[in-house]
Amino acid sequence: MMTGILALQGAFAEHAACLARLGEPCRLIRKPEELHGVDRLILPGGESTAQRKLLETTGLFSPIRELLREGMPVMGTCAGLILLAQEVAGAPPCFGILPVEVQRNAYGRQLGSFFVQGQVGELTDVPMRFIRAPYVARVLSEEVEVLNVTEGRITAVRWRNCLGLAFHPELTEDLRLYQCF
Ligand code: GLN
């Protein structure tokens, strides 16, 4: 299985390093041709507004949206979760595939970033690093499975082939979420 990692901006190299540790092949995606032969996608954290602009200018927006609509498995972390969400509070959606509403920068200033360990789905003691993280303000379908709630806020969801995480698994040593994905 070839994993494509959107590599326009943000923490894509860290995701690639995690997959390398698992012995999984991956390809950094910067232009549409690079999507050929990709079986699943990772949308990294970073700055969702910058990523949206780059998706348009590189011509990647439409082909990725098409692949996601066809059901390609995807893991979106932090800004990646924002890109996947059907609704983004105060802004238009990007791919609009994952039936949740997200609130951006929910933990306020960068200084509000924090680290906790907790349950994510079946996994226990998962290290979770939040950096100006969004959270899921509303779930828009009964099919959405809530995998984690931290400080009263939904931070991890699964819907069909989509895994949406408000935190950064690529910035920890724990590879279990990649294995699940
Ligand atoms: N605050 C960022 C955004 O809105 C997301 C932060 C992150 O990916 N670490 O895009």
Side-chain angles (χ1 to χ4, degrees):
M1 294 270 280
M2 176 58 76
T3 305
I5 304 176
L6 185 66
L8 300 176
Q9 189 271 342
F12 53 86
E14 290 82 352
H15 280 294
C18 290
L19 292 177
R21 282 171 56 208
L22 285 169
E24 287 291 330
C26 71
R27 184 188 303 156
L28 299 183
I29 306 292
R30 295 197 172 96
K31 38 187 192 221
E33 309 85 273
E34 290 164 341
L35 289 167
H36 292 304
V38 161
D39 301 297
R40 53 192 173 198
L41 278 170
I42 292 180
L43 308 181
E47 185 50 49
S48 57
T49 45
Q51 292 184 3
R52 291 170 77 124
K53 284 185 194 139
L54 291 165
L55 280 164
E56 290 290 353
T57 53
T58 54
L60 276 166
F61 174 74
S62 297
I64 291 182
R65 187 180 56 180
E66 200 49 41
L67 291 171
L68 295 176
R69 285 182 175 168
E70 286 165 5
M72 177 171 284
V74 61
M75 173 162 80
T77 60
C78 207
L81 165 64
I82 297 168
L83 297 186
L84 288 174
Q86 248 174 37
E87 290 184 25
V88 180
C94 183
F95 295 122
I97 178 117
L98 176 62
V100 297
E101 179 189 334
V102 294
Q103 178 78 45
R104 289 183 63 207
N105 299 331
Y107 298 101
R109 303 153 296 136
Q110 190 71 29
L111 288 174
S113 300
F114 63 97
F115 176 83
V116 291
Q117 273 186 294
Q119 181 115 9
V120 179
E122 311 273 285
L123 305 175
T124 52
D125 297 320
V126 177
M128 290 177 280
R129 197 170 288 287
F130 294 88
I131 304 173
R132 295 191 76 212
Y135 71 92
V136 173
R138 255 175 351 124
V139 163
L140 304 172
S141 159
E142 283 177 6
E143 276 184 65
V144 173
E145 188 184 346
V146 173
L147 302 178
N148 176 265
V149 178
T150 293
E151 299 188 355
R153 288 164 167 178
I154 298 171
T155 72
V157 292
R158 177 165 60 200
W159 174 79
R160 300 190 183 166
N161 282 337
C162 283
L163 185 59
L165 308 174
F167 50 88
H168 291 265
E170 77 283 9
L171 301 182
T172 70
E173 295 296 302
D174 194 314
L175 297 173
R176 287 177 294 166
L177 279 165
Y178 291 91
Q179 285 161 332
C180 290
F181 177 55

